[in-house]
Amino acid sequence: MKKYISFSLSLILFLVTLITFFTLQGKYSQKAYFGKEYAVIRVMEEDKITPLEISGIRYAVEEASHTVENGNGRLWCDAYSYFETAFVSREDSKTLECQAVVTGGDYFLFHNLEFVNGYYYSDSDLNLDRVVIDEKLAFDLFGSNNAEGMTVILGDKTYYVAGVVSLEENKAREIQLGDTPVIFIPQNIGETLYGTRDYDVYEVMMQNDLPSYAFNTVSAVCEGKDVIDVTHRFDLKNIIKIIGQFPSRSFVTKNFSYPYYENADRGREDVLSILLVLNAVTFVIFAVNTTILIYKLRRKR
């Protein structure tokens, strides 16, 4: 009887870790999915990423891209951003300190934020006088998340709220931002507030017809930078690679911190790595118990 219990428990543990791994992998991968033919590559650098470097990456991506069969659509798109502190108010309220994300390009295409009302701004806006705020800032300023069309003051100028977003709740955001509200600011307003700046993060989506084609294209012109294949980071092959990087993966040797969404993804990679190790261990235990059970059953014959 005991041998059957051991066999059953080891089988259950193996199946639970296996199902949990693939369930979470599927959930996480959906956040990074842009189609099988494309990949999103994220670039970060301790000394920032200059506009000249972005031009170099764009040239390499353009050269590596080829026309789609129907001749329509964009071959690639990109986004770039940096982080600052902003002081936001309305005419009849106190000033609030916020985390400002200054964006350029198609930032909201790469970061699928949930809009509770309104919509995002874009570089093609006629007046370029709109911002996006999170729910916390909306409640702090207006007492409601229904703030589309309201006005906020940044510096000495007034801007319109294009939309309100609900930021994803995760441990990385909680640790890095705490209760600090967030405001998303287009590049032109950022230049007014902070002057011309280099960028903390650059992201590009391009064709990926061959394995690692997009990653290799960007890596070739980003030597010394952190280059991450966002689309395939949760693939089994990459998770196995991460397991091999322990414990050096946890060592921080650069004088800059990743944005909260990158830290959240790294945390998800760690969770999948632990689950995969547990799955391997439970498989070995299951295999041993299966062998013992078969051996004992044969001896009874």
Side-chain angles (χ1 to χ4, degrees), residues 17-228:
T17 56
L18 183 68
I19 293 171
T20 303
F21 174 84
F22 283 110
T23 299
L24 289 179
Q25 184 192 44
K27 177 183 177 182
Y28 297 159
S29 296
Q30 288 177 6
K31 298 177 181 295
Y33 184 75
F34 285 83
K36 294 180 180 179
E37 300 83 10
Y38 292 86
V40 173
I41 309 300
R42 180 177 295 157
V43 183
M44 293 169 291
E45 167 60 38
E46 180 177 0
D47 296 323
K48 310 295 184 183
I49 303 166
T50 67
L52 182 61
E53 288 174 322
I54 289 177
S55 296
I57 300 172
R58 284 175 164 176
Y59 179 80
V61 169
E62 181 68 33
E63 287 292 298
S65 300
H66 53 270
T67 306
V68 292
E69 291 183 2
N70 59 15
N72 298 319
R74 300 161 67 182
L75 299 180
W76 59 273
C77 61
D78 64 357
Y80 33 94
S81 57
Y82 65 84
F83 305 91
E84 261 294 352
T85 299
F87 295 93
V88 184
S89 66
R90 51 182 292 188
E91 291 184 0
D92 56 346
S93 74
K94 63 181 180 181
T95 299
L96 300 174
E97 182 176 340
C98 305
Q99 166 79 78
V101 184
V102 181
T103 73
D106 293 291
Y107 181 86
F108 294 99
L109 174 63
F110 291 85
H111 300 269
N112 189 22
L113 301 170
E114 180 185 352
F115 277 80
V116 294
N117 64 71
Y119 205 55
Y120 56 80
Y121 54 77
S122 73
D123 289 347
S124 60
D125 283 357
L126 183 61
N127 295 322
L128 296 173
D129 60 351
R130 301 192 301 158
V131 299
V132 168
I133 63 177
D134 73 347
E135 281 189 297
K136 177 169 176 52
L137 184 54
F139 275 105
D140 288 346
L141 287 178
F142 307 107
S144 167
N145 62 10
N146 188 20
E148 180 189 5
M150 300 290 193
T151 59
V152 296
I153 299 173
L154 278 165
D156 59 353
K157 294 186 177 180
T158 300
Y159 301 97
Y160 293 95
V161 176
V164 179
V165 295
S166 175
L167 297 183
E168 179 184 7
E169 294 295 333
N170 56 61
K171 197 66 176 178
R173 177 175 176 267
E174 179 184 333
I175 292 173
Q176 288 186 249
L177 297 181
D179 291 330
T180 305
V182 179
I183 182 169
F184 298 88
I185 302 172
Q187 183 182 5
N188 68 297
I189 297 177
E191 289 180 356
T192 300
L193 295 171
Y194 309 111
T196 302
R197 289 281 306 274
D198 295 334
Y199 299 95
D200 293 314
V201 183
Y202 175 78
E203 295 161 302
V204 60
M205 179 174 67
M206 63 174 291
Q207 292 166 312
N208 192 55
D209 297 334
L210 300 172
S212 301
Y213 179 70
F215 177 80
N216 291 336
T217 297
V218 177
S219 294
V221 290
C222 291
E223 185 177 353
K225 295 177 173 57
D226 287 351
V227 181
I228 299 167

Side-chain angles (χ1 to χ4, degrees), residues 222-235:
C222 291
E223 185 177 353
K225 295 177 173 57
D226 287 351
V227 181
I228 299 167
D229 186 341
V230 177
T231 305
H232 301 100
R233 71 186 309 162
F234 302 120
D235 289 357

